[in-house]
Every structure is written in structure tokens, then in C-alpha cells.
Amino acid sequence: MKAYVLDAVWAPKPEYQPKEREISDKRAVRGDMVYRDLRAGLKDVPDPAPGPGDVLIRVGACGVCGSDMHAGSAADDGYTNYAGHLKLPVIMGHELSGEVIEAGVNVRKFKPGDLIAVEQMRPCGLCDACKTGFFNSCRNIEEVGLSIDGGFCEYAVVPETYCIDINDIVERLGDKIAAFEAGALAEPTGVAYNGLFVRGKGITPGSNVSVFGAGPIGLASISLARVAGAAKIFAIDVNEERLKLAKLCGADYSVNPAALDGKNDTVSSIVLDQTGGVGCKTVVEAAGAPDSTYPEIVKLMSINANVSAIGRSPRLAPIDLERFIVKGCSLSGSIGTAGNDIIPSVLKLMGSGKLDMRGIITGRYDLSRVQEGIGDAKRGNHGKVMISQFYG
Ligand SMILES: [Zn+2]
Ligand SMILES: [Zn+2]
């Protein structure tokens, strides 16, 4: 079959001491410290064969994520830009859905013809994080498309436990490709769901919400806030194209900090003006720009607000903690989508017609043009770029 494979040379930097397990199975905890001289491209690989507890799927759609762009691009020293788990060679792509074409003998819930979405994160179940229920912080986590084979390909093998039925979505949408796209969008939407409802404090109906960053996670946060009954939703981004998508997802106000003078007109002054001085009870940082967002975030938090930190960055945030203390606010960090019924809940919202994320798809590329699709996504004007062997 055709598959988009990333490969590189295992060459740990002198200052990085890989642990025993990293050396034995070549699964780097920090990809950027170990993998050099990247080679990525579409090639012919053997069709995967399902084990007794696996299903074989024909991949329906697979979204391009920021991690795909980072992993496949090199810094000046030739090392990958991706700082997370990486085991190469790997078939990339982790936001996938598909149709079951074969089920292993021990598979109980799925049969050929079923449409499914795939859970990306595979926690070990044994470490202290897993035992505490914090599966996304698992010390031995495997990630589809980064440490085990993913979805930029024709066929994939998935253990039954990581498959979630989306037959109700195809019934509702009346179209398989539409259902594949919805299923593939469950992963980025799940990241937002985790930040807002699992690690965060949820959304009080009638309260105001600010979302910093209108990439896929921010757009999903806005959509979920709308479904959950937010009063006023503010989208903040420096990219006008993405702000248009934010409105489409249900934002009431779009604010571009680059268009403000930063003195009299600031993000927080606009939000406070529009909320009668109350501010926002839920704030999402999905911009990954903590040095510029947090000084404004602390000013627009309402009493008893929660800030969901989702966007990742090596930079530090200057935070006026006094405001957190005086206003009784909290800050919650979150990562990933494993556990806590996250992906199933997102898919139930989609299946019931309450949530449709397909409006954020702004680029569709056939599998044969996956490289082009990833390159296009890197330009940053997109909501979500989707890859499918069915686009033609
Ligand atoms: Zn993703
Ligand atoms: Zn674990």
C-alpha cells in the first residue's frame, strides 16, 4: 500500500542521555534531541495484517496536525523540530477514521462495514500517572503517527479498544466521506474537550468565554463553548482568516491584537467593555504564546474564572498571580485525549447533530498529494487540512 513515512538517523545530541528503553527500542522521549537527517515521503510498504484483537481499516480521512508539521521539519542543525515522543520510521498522521474491512478472531464489538474513529493515545496502564487516571501524562505513552504507525496511508491496523463507532454520524450526515471527516476531527476536538471539561471546570451556561488562538484547538473550544451554552464568546487571534472561521464556529466577537494600539485599545479592554466589566469565567489559551496572552488573560478573568492552558510553548508566561488570588481564579493544564470518555463524548455530540466541526476544513488533499497538503498547512492560514484516499 501507499504510506507517508518519516524516517531519520538515530544520533543523540552529546548533551542528551537517552534512557535504557529509548536505546533498546529507539523510541525517543524527546525526538528533537535524537533524530537527525529527516527523510519523508510517500512510498510502497507492505499491507498491515491485524492480530487477533485488532481490526484492519481502510483509512477514510486523516487530519494534518501541528505535530506532523514539526516532526517532518528540521532545525538548522538537521534535527527534527518535534520535541515529543518519536520512533522512526513511522507512518505519520494521527487524526484518523476509517471503515473496518477485517476483524481479528477476538474482536467483539466491530465487524466489516463499521465506520470508526481511532483514539490516538495509548497509555500503558501501569505507571503512576495511569494508576491515578491521568492517562495523558503516562510515562510510557505510545502515540499513533509518532511512535506507532498512523493514518497517512491506505490501510491501518487498530486494536479494538482504540476504535469508536461512528455509524450514527454517517446515518446523520448521509455521506461516508463527511462521516470520515467528522471522525478525523474528533481528536483535535477532544484536546479542547479535555482542556475545558475534564481538566478545566466546564462552562457555566450564561457565562462568558474567551479563546486565545483560533487554530483547530481554539476553534473546537469555541464550538464546544457554544454547544455548552456560553453567553458571549470572544475569539482572539492575529490571523484574519482564522478569525473568520472562529465566527463560523460560534464566536460572537473576533479580536485581532495586531490591529489594536495596545494602549487604549487592548484585548482585555474590549472584552471588559463588552461584558459590562464582568469579564470571562472560562478562558482558553490555545495560542501557545504565553508571553503575550497571559498579561491580557489575567485582566479579563471574571471572579472564580478558570484558565485552561492547552497551547504549548517553551516560553515563560508573566502572570500576575495577585489577580488569581484576589478573584479566586484557577489555572488548569491539560494535554491529549485519552480516558475520561473524551473522544466518545465528542463523537456523541457529533452523532446527535449538536456539533459539526467540518466547517474548519479549509484544505482537502488526496493521499497521493499528502506532502503538498502538509506544506500547505504549514503556511498557517488554514483551519484544518484533511488527507483522504477518497478525494481523488
Ligand atoms: Zn492532532
Ligand atoms: Zn502509563
Side-chain angles (χ1 to χ4, degrees):
M1 69 166 180
K2 296 268 182 248
Y4 185 74
V5 178
L6 175 66
D7 202 356
V9 174
W10 175 270
K13 292 181 181 177
E15 68 269 29
Y16 186 75
Q17 287 297 322
K19 297 198 178 67
E20 222 168 89
R21 179 183 163 190
E22 290 179 270
I23 295 166
S24 66
D25 72 1
K26 296 287 183 282
R27 171 182 160 283
V29 173
R30 284 279 306 267
D32 60 335
M33 288 289 165
V34 166
Y35 279 114
R36 193 183 66 192
D37 303 335
L38 305 170
R39 297 179 302 278
L42 202 62
K43 54 174 169 179
D44 284 306
V45 301
D47 285 358
D54 302 329
V55 300
L56 176 69
I57 62 165
R58 181 145 194 216
V59 179
C62 188
V64 176
C65 183
S67 54
D68 300 318
M69 301 176 221
H70 285 132
S73 72
D76 290 342
D77 58 7
Y79 283 81
T80 172
N81 280 315
Y82 186 65
H85 295 132
L86 206 55
K87 182 181 176 182
L88 303 180
V90 76
I91 299 172
M92 299 192 77
H94 61 260
E95 302 177 357
L96 70 146
S97 60
E99 179 170 350
V100 175
I101 54 172
E102 195 183 326
V105 288
N106 294 341
V107 171
R108 284 178 295 180
K109 270 177 75 180
F110 299 95
K111 58 183 186 315
D114 283 339
L115 265 53
I116 58 143
V118 175
E119 292 226 40
Q120 185 220 358
M121 305 192 84
R122 313 226 170 138
C124 74
L126 296 170
C127 72
D128 56 339
C130 285
K131 290 298 182 201
T132 323
F134 281 61
F135 302 109
N136 295 292
S137 303
C138 170
R139 293 174 186 276
N140 308 304
I141 201 152
E142 299 287 1
E143 293 182 62
V144 172
L146 294 162
S147 72
I148 44 179
D149 283 341
F152 291 149
C153 57
E154 292 175 85
Y155 300 97
V157 160
V158 188
E160 178 180 20
T161 182
Y162 300 115
C163 299
I164 298 153
D165 183 319
I166 57 168
N167 291 327
D168 58 339
I169 299 180
V170 71
E171 257 167 55
R172 173 165 292 278
L173 299 177
D175 179 69
K176 262 192 196 179
I177 294 179
F180 287 144
E181 290 183 341
L185 287 163
E187 196 268 348
T189 309
V191 173
Y193 188 101
N194 187 15
L196 281 169
F197 302 109
V198 179
R199 301 294 309 132
K201 287 189 175 169
I203 289 165
T204 308
S207 67
N208 304 312
V209 176
S210 275
V211 176
F212 286 76
I217 308 302
L219 293 170
S221 301
I222 291 163
S223 306
L224 289 167
R226 183 45 74 221
V227 173
K232 291 181 174 175
I233 302 175
F234 299 84
I236 299 106
D237 201 293
V238 292
N239 183 311
E240 288 293 335
E241 295 304 313
R242 289 186 154 184
L243 286 175
K244 280 186 206 154
L245 292 171
K247 286 267 184 147
L248 200 74
C249 289
D252 301 284
Y253 302 87
S254 60
V255 185
N256 185 341
L260 305 175
D261 70 12
K263 294 192 181 85
N264 300 317
D265 269 346
T266 60
V267 173
S268 56
S269 69
I270 290 171
V271 171
L272 290 170
D273 269 359
Q274 297 297 335
T275 57
V278 170
C280 293
K281 186 154 184 255
T282 299
V283 184
V284 175
E285 210 292 342
D291 41 347
S292 50
T293 56
Y294 278 95
E296 289 299 297
I297 286 173
V298 294
K299 290 180 197 160
L300 58 78
M301 296 184 305
S302 74
I303 301 292
N304 188 26
N306 184 71
V307 181
S308 292
I310 306 178
R312 299 179 74 179
S313 168
R315 298 194 297 277
L316 299 179
I319 299 184
D320 180 1
L321 285 174
E322 181 68 9
R323 290 182 191 246
F324 274 86
I325 295 166
V326 172
K327 290 181 163 181
C329 297
S330 55
L331 175 70
S332 57
S334 71
I335 185 169
T337 55
N340 290 288
D341 209 29
I342 292 170
I343 298 284
S345 301
V346 165
L347 290 169
K348 275 178 220 151
L349 284 171
M350 291 177 173
S352 68
K354 303 277 193 312
L355 180 71
D356 189 349
M357 293 303 304
R358 289 174 301 143
I360 75 166
I361 301 173
T362 49
R364 290 178 169 84
Y365 286 84
D366 187 75
L367 178 63
S368 59
R369 295 167 64 210
V370 53
Q371 182 114 35
E372 208 182 318
I374 295 172
D376 190 18
K378 269 187 205 159
R379 280 188 276 281
N381 274 339
H382 278 287
K384 176 61 72 181
V385 171
M386 197 61 74
I387 310 293
S388 171
Q389 59 185 313
F390 297 111
Y391 289 150

PDB file of all heavy atoms in Angstrom, residues 123-131 135 137-141, ligand 2:
ATOM      1  N   PRO A 123      -1.997   4.829  26.436  1.00  0.00           N
ATOM      2  CA  PRO A 123      -1.295   4.787  27.720  1.00  0.00           C
ATOM      3  C   PRO A 123      -0.981   3.361  28.154  1.00  0.00           C
ATOM      4  O   PRO A 123      -1.645   2.421  27.720  1.00  0.00           O
ATOM      5  CB  PRO A 123      -2.277   5.457  28.676  1.00  0.00           C
ATOM      6  CG  PRO A 123      -3.602   5.385  28.011  1.00  0.00           C
ATOM      7  CD  PRO A 123      -3.386   5.265  26.538  1.00  0.00           C
ATOM      8  N   CYS A 124       0.016   3.214  29.039  1.00  0.00           N
ATOM      9  CA  CYS A 124       0.494   1.867  29.395  1.00  0.00           C
ATOM     10  C   CYS A 124      -0.406   1.174  30.407  1.00  0.00           C
ATOM     11  O   CYS A 124      -0.446  -0.053  30.484  1.00  0.00           O
ATOM     12  CB  CYS A 124       1.926   1.936  29.928  1.00  0.00           C
ATOM     13  SG  CYS A 124       2.078   2.598  31.606  1.00  0.00           S
ATOM     14  N   GLY A 125      -1.128   1.960  31.227  1.00  0.00           N
ATOM     15  CA  GLY A 125      -1.990   1.367  32.245  1.00  0.00           C
ATOM     16  C   GLY A 125      -1.264   0.919  33.502  1.00  0.00           C
ATOM     17  O   GLY A 125      -1.896   0.448  34.446  1.00  0.00           O
ATOM     18  N   LEU A 126       0.052   1.067  33.533  1.00  0.00           N
ATOM     19  CA  LEU A 126       0.845   0.531  34.647  1.00  0.00           C
ATOM     20  C   LEU A 126       1.549   1.595  35.480  1.00  0.00           C
ATOM     21  O   LEU A 126       1.844   1.373  36.651  1.00  0.00           O
ATOM     22  CB  LEU A 126       1.923  -0.422  34.093  1.00  0.00           C
ATOM     23  CG  LEU A 126       1.419  -1.686  33.389  1.00  0.00           C
ATOM     24  CD1 LEU A 126       2.575  -2.393  32.690  1.00  0.00           C
ATOM     25  CD2 LEU A 126       0.748  -2.615  34.394  1.00  0.00           C
ATOM     26  N   CYS A 127       1.836   2.734  34.888  1.00  0.00           N
ATOM     27  CA  CYS A 127       2.685   3.724  35.577  1.00  0.00           C
ATOM     28  C   CYS A 127       1.865   4.522  36.602  1.00  0.00           C
ATOM     29  O   CYS A 127       0.646   4.382  36.687  1.00  0.00           O
ATOM     30  CB  CYS A 127       3.349   4.649  34.568  1.00  0.00           C
ATOM     31  SG  CYS A 127       2.209   5.819  33.809  1.00  0.00           S
ATOM     32  N   ASP A 128       2.550   5.366  37.377  1.00  0.00           N
ATOM     33  CA  ASP A 128       1.854   6.131  38.416  1.00  0.00           C
ATOM     34  C   ASP A 128       0.804   7.065  37.824  1.00  0.00           C
ATOM     35  O   ASP A 128      -0.277   7.233  38.387  1.00  0.00           O
ATOM     36  CB  ASP A 128       2.861   6.905  39.280  1.00  0.00           C
ATOM     37  CG  ASP A 128       3.758   7.822  38.460  1.00  0.00           C
ATOM     38  OD1 ASP A 128       3.907   7.588  37.239  1.00  0.00           O
ATOM     39  OD2 ASP A 128       4.312   8.777  39.028  1.00  0.00           O
ATOM     40  N   ALA A 129       1.092   7.646  36.663  1.00  0.00           N
ATOM     41  CA  ALA A 129       0.111   8.540  36.038  1.00  0.00           C
ATOM     42  C   ALA A 129      -1.143   7.763  35.640  1.00  0.00           C
ATOM     43  O   ALA A 129      -2.272   8.188  35.934  1.00  0.00           O
ATOM     44  CB  ALA A 129       0.725   9.208  34.807  1.00  0.00           C
ATOM     45  N   CYS A 130      -0.951   6.625  34.997  1.00  0.00           N
ATOM     46  CA  CYS A 130      -2.102   5.807  34.585  1.00  0.00           C
ATOM     47  C   CYS A 130      -2.903   5.347  35.803  1.00  0.00           C
ATOM     48  O   CYS A 130      -4.137   5.373  35.803  1.00  0.00           O
ATOM     49  CB  CYS A 130      -1.632   4.607  33.777  1.00  0.00           C
ATOM     50  SG  CYS A 130      -1.116   5.016  32.092  1.00  0.00           S
ATOM     51  N   LYS A 131      -2.198   4.938  36.869  1.00  0.00           N
ATOM     52  CA  LYS A 131      -2.893   4.439  38.057  1.00  0.00           C
ATOM     53  C   LYS A 131      -3.700   5.536  38.738  1.00  0.00           C
ATOM     54  O   LYS A 131      -4.638   5.262  39.490  1.00  0.00           O
ATOM     55  CB  LYS A 131      -1.889   3.842  39.054  1.00  0.00           C
ATOM     56  CG  LYS A 131      -1.272   2.523  38.565  1.00  0.00           C
ATOM     57  CD  LYS A 131      -2.303   1.433  38.382  1.00  0.00           C
ATOM     58  CE  LYS A 131      -1.689   0.113  37.956  1.00  0.00           C
ATOM     59  NZ  LYS A 131      -2.682  -0.766  37.323  1.00  0.00           N
ATOM     60  N   PHE A 135      -4.168   9.433  32.248  1.00  0.00           N
ATOM     61  CA  PHE A 135      -3.607   8.633  31.153  1.00  0.00           C
ATOM     62  C   PHE A 135      -2.768   9.457  30.184  1.00  0.00           C
ATOM     63  O   PHE A 135      -1.820   8.951  29.596  1.00  0.00           O
ATOM     64  CB  PHE A 135      -4.730   7.919  30.405  1.00  0.00           C
ATOM     65  CG  PHE A 135      -5.543   7.029  31.288  1.00  0.00           C
ATOM     66  CD1 PHE A 135      -6.840   7.355  31.637  1.00  0.00           C
ATOM     67  CD2 PHE A 135      -4.987   5.871  31.805  1.00  0.00           C
ATOM     68  CE1 PHE A 135      -7.578   6.530  32.473  1.00  0.00           C
ATOM     69  CE2 PHE A 135      -5.718   5.034  32.634  1.00  0.00           C
ATOM     70  CZ  PHE A 135      -7.017   5.375  32.978  1.00  0.00           C
ATOM     71  N   SER A 137      -0.785  11.738  30.816  1.00  0.00           N
ATOM     72  CA  SER A 137       0.543  12.021  31.360  1.00  0.00           C
ATOM     73  C   SER A 137       1.347  10.728  31.523  1.00  0.00           C
ATOM     74  O   SER A 137       2.400  10.731  32.163  1.00  0.00           O
ATOM     75  CB  SER A 137       0.409  12.721  32.717  1.00  0.00           C
ATOM     76  OG  SER A 137      -0.343  13.903  32.579  1.00  0.00           O
ATOM     77  N   CYS A 138       0.863   9.641  30.944  1.00  0.00           N
ATOM     78  CA  CYS A 138       1.531   8.335  31.028  1.00  0.00           C
ATOM     79  C   CYS A 138       3.006   8.442  30.676  1.00  0.00           C
ATOM     80  O   CYS A 138       3.379   9.081  29.700  1.00  0.00           O
ATOM     81  CB  CYS A 138       0.837   7.352  30.081  1.00  0.00           C
ATOM     82  SG  CYS A 138       1.735   5.800  29.888  1.00  0.00           S
ATOM     83  N   ARG A 139       3.833   7.797  31.466  1.00  0.00           N
ATOM     84  CA  ARG A 139       5.284   7.855  31.242  1.00  0.00           C
ATOM     85  C   ARG A 139       5.727   7.012  30.055  1.00  0.00           C
ATOM     86  O   ARG A 139       6.820   7.178  29.546  1.00  0.00           O
ATOM     87  CB  ARG A 139       6.024   7.357  32.490  1.00  0.00           C
ATOM     88  CG  ARG A 139       5.846   8.273  33.683  1.00  0.00           C
ATOM     89  CD  ARG A 139       6.474   7.674  34.924  1.00  0.00           C
ATOM     90  NE  ARG A 139       6.170   8.503  36.084  1.00  0.00           N
ATOM     91  CZ  ARG A 139       6.853   9.586  36.435  1.00  0.00           C
ATOM     92  NH1 ARG A 139       7.884   9.964  35.735  1.00  0.00           N
ATOM     93  NH2 ARG A 139       6.510  10.281  37.498  1.00  0.00           N
ATOM     94  N   ASN A 140       4.887   6.060  29.671  1.00  0.00           N
ATOM     95  CA  ASN A 140       5.274   5.139  28.586  1.00  0.00           C
ATOM     96  C   ASN A 140       4.317   5.239  27.404  1.00  0.00           C
ATOM     97  O   ASN A 140       4.125   4.281  26.666  1.00  0.00           O
ATOM     98  CB  ASN A 140       5.278   3.701  29.103  1.00  0.00           C
ATOM     99  CG  ASN A 140       6.099   3.573  30.365  1.00  0.00           C
ATOM    100  OD1 ASN A 140       7.270   3.935  30.380  1.00  0.00           O
ATOM    101  ND2 ASN A 140       5.477   3.103  31.433  1.00  0.00           N
ATOM    102  N   ILE A 141       3.706   6.397  27.252  1.00  0.00           N
ATOM    103  CA  ILE A 141       2.630   6.522  26.269  1.00  0.00           C
ATOM    104  C   ILE A 141       3.141   6.285  24.849  1.00  0.00           C
ATOM    105  O   ILE A 141       4.260   6.641  24.509  1.00  0.00           O
ATOM    106  CB  ILE A 141       1.944   7.906  26.401  1.00  0.00           C
ATOM    107  CG1 ILE A 141       0.547   7.860  25.794  1.00  0.00           C
ATOM    108  CG2 ILE A 141       2.784   9.015  25.768  1.00  0.00           C
ATOM    109  CD1 ILE A 141      -0.411   8.834  26.422  1.00  0.00           C
TER     110      ILE A 141
HETATM  111 ZN    ZN B   2       1.204   4.754  31.929  1.00  0.00          ZN
END
